[in-house]
Amino acid sequence: MIKTAVVILNWNGVKLLEQFLPSVIQYTLSDDVEIIVADNCSTDNSIGFLKETYPQIRRIVLPENYGYADGYNQSLKQIEAKYFVLLNSDVEVGEGWLQPIVDFLDVNEDVVAAQPKLLAQRNKSYFEYAGAAGGFLDKYGYPFCRGRIFGEIEQDKGQYDTITDVLWATGACMVIRARDFFDAGGFDATFFAHMEEIDLCWRLNSRGKRIVCIPSSVVYHVGGATLSEESPRKTFLNFRNNLLMLYKNLPEDSIDRVLNKRILLDYIAALKYALTGKMPNAKAVHAAHKEFRQIKQSYTLARRENLEKATQSNLKTIYPKSILADFYFRGNKFFSRLQKFC
């Protein structure tokens, strides 16, 4: 069994593989690390490119496009390793990027997952939206990061260079113990893409497991390479998956209050989309809520299992206030200004 498997999930990303796979190979290969490309039934020349250019790289070819969530579930079942590194195909890495995280996990058995510091590949002095220096949620389920709150992205000046416990590690580059990935049930396949890593990490946090950011490890992420920020499909997945995540993981004493508030806030967001000429996105929010109502009952057992396996409910990695109120009304646009986490 290999110690560390770096698994790149690909879907029609031959251009990204051409651009970023060389850095992964150059700065990652060693006797105890294997690089694997798992292909989500691409229709471009991804497989042909890999066979011709990198025949030494192991390939897992899936029979259909399972999305990010189940694409990784299906692929990781075929890999034996102590640590899985889930790496997006649009990530550039540099010398020594992986070792600090593996070294930390080796000596901290209570830590089950970690992420590096995520910077923007197109402007490397700034954090990148998808994970920055580690992720959190507020009390209403809105995700934010050290270095990024909503669309406000900070310049990296070393202000978040401490190793810190977080609620979630970015799916753009997550290192996770294989046994804990499977013990927690892996990613929720229904999510398809977006927020599945937050859902998984919330489950792990609730079961007393630690997740950290190791800023001495740095990678550079393009972001939005599969679905653009304006995509109605992305809007649908984000809103629907956030509701599913809340339903699955919220403690009994807060679920009704939080979900009712989120319904109101989501429809305010839909109204904003409509008033700014983004009607397809507004319709996507409504479609997300409609589907959530339709499939909510099928999640009763998953919710019960999560609550039964939880060893703690008041997580220190969940912000006890509204990040919306902090950002828009109190002017706290930087993580360092949030009193609980500074």
Side-chain angles (χ1 to χ4, degrees):
M1 180 177 73
I2 198 75
K3 182 177 182 180
T4 305
V6 177
V7 187
I8 300 170
L9 187 67
N10 173 72
W11 179 71
N12 288 347
V14 66
K15 296 297 183 183
L16 296 174
L17 293 174
E18 290 174 351
Q19 183 175 0
F20 296 111
L21 187 54
S23 74
V24 179
I25 293 173
Q26 180 179 357
Y27 297 116
T28 306
L29 280 179
S30 68
D31 291 341
D32 59 357
V33 179
E34 182 180 17
I35 298 171
I36 301 164
V37 176
D39 189 80
N40 245 334
C41 199
S42 292
T43 56
D44 66 0
N45 190 41
S46 292
I47 298 301
F49 165 75
L50 290 169
K51 288 180 177 179
E52 181 177 346
T53 312
Y54 299 107
Q56 76 277 22
I57 297 297
R58 179 182 170 189
R59 301 178 301 276
I60 295 174
V61 182
L62 300 175
E64 61 183 270
N65 180 11
Y66 290 99
Y68 180 97
D70 209 29
Y72 265 120
N73 289 342
Q74 298 293 331
S75 301
L76 297 182
K77 288 188 294 186
Q78 303 179 50
I79 301 169
E80 291 188 7
K82 181 177 182 180
Y83 302 128
F84 294 141
V85 183
L86 314 186
L87 186 68
N88 274 17
S89 58
D90 60 345
V91 171
E92 176 187 339
V93 305
E95 187 172 358
W97 73 279
L98 182 57
Q99 203 59 45
I101 297 181
V102 172
D103 289 346
F104 191 88
L105 291 173
D106 281 344
V107 297
N108 292 274
E109 286 291 332
D110 60 330
V111 175
V112 298
Q115 72 159 77
K117 179 163 63 176
L118 201 71
L119 299 180
Q121 196 272 337
R122 295 189 179 105
N123 190 346
K124 294 180 179 179
S125 65
Y126 281 81
F127 290 102
E128 206 283 315
Y129 183 94
F136 301 88
L137 290 176
D138 81 340
K139 67 177 182 178
Y140 296 123
Y142 288 99
F144 61 98
C145 308
R146 288 199 302 171
R148 190 274 296 173
I149 300 178
F150 295 119
E152 191 73 33
I153 299 173
E154 296 182 49
Q155 187 172 11
D156 175 27
K157 300 178 180 179
Q159 67 270 44
Y160 304 123
D161 277 356
T162 54
I163 296 175
T164 302
D165 282 52
V166 298
L167 179 72
W168 54 274
T170 175
C173 185
M174 173 195 290
V175 185
I176 187 167
R177 297 182 190 274
R179 68 168 186 264
D180 290 287
F181 180 86
F182 293 122
D183 286 349
F187 292 128
D188 186 329
T190 301
F191 279 40
F192 191 79
H194 300 296
M195 295 202 181
E196 62 285 301
E197 80 270 42
I198 305 179
D199 172 59
L200 172 62
C201 290
W202 192 348
R203 273 179 271 149
L204 291 166
N205 264 250
S206 295
R207 297 173 192 185
K209 310 293 186 178
R210 292 176 60 204
I211 297 164
V212 301
C213 175
I214 312 289
S216 58
S217 171
V218 181
V219 302
Y220 305 93
H221 184 221
V222 175
T226 304
L227 288 176
S228 73
E229 196 63 36
E230 299 297 317
S231 165
R233 174 64 173 167
K234 187 171 186 175
T235 298
F236 169 82
L237 290 170
N238 275 323
F239 278 82
R240 184 202 63 175
N241 293 351
N242 194 284
L243 292 168
L244 288 173
M245 178 179 68
L246 290 172
Y247 180 70
K248 289 172 62 180
N249 296 288
L250 279 171
E252 201 64 46
D253 61 358
S254 61
I255 184 170
D256 289 338
R257 172 176 51 83
V258 172
L259 281 179
N260 287 336
K261 189 65 173 286
R262 273 306 299 265
I263 291 170
L264 173 63
L265 292 171
D266 283 1
Y267 275 99
I268 290 174
L271 179 61
K272 181 181 177 182
Y273 278 131
L275 293 175
T276 54
K278 299 176 182 177
M279 188 56 68
N281 298 81
K283 291 179 179 179
V285 176
H286 175 71
H289 277 257
K290 180 179 179 180
E291 183 159 314
F292 168 67
R293 291 191 299 270
Q294 291 172 341
I295 66 177
K296 174 183 173 182
Q297 189 174 357
S298 66
Y299 273 86
T300 302
L301 291 178
R303 171 171 170 75
R304 184 182 305 163
E305 179 185 7
N306 286 346
L307 294 181
E308 289 174 351
K309 292 184 176 181
T311 60
Q312 49 190 332
S313 56
N314 295 317
L315 300 179
K316 294 180 180 180
T317 47
I318 291 184
Y319 187 50
K321 301 178 182 180
S322 167
I323 196 68
L324 278 170
D326 263 294
F327 187 86
Y328 289 107
F329 301 117
R330 302 187 187 103
N332 296 332
K333 299 184 183 298
F334 301 107
F335 183 91
S336 57
R337 297 187 63 179
L338 304 179
Q339 291 184 357
K340 180 179 185 294
F341 292 128
C342 64

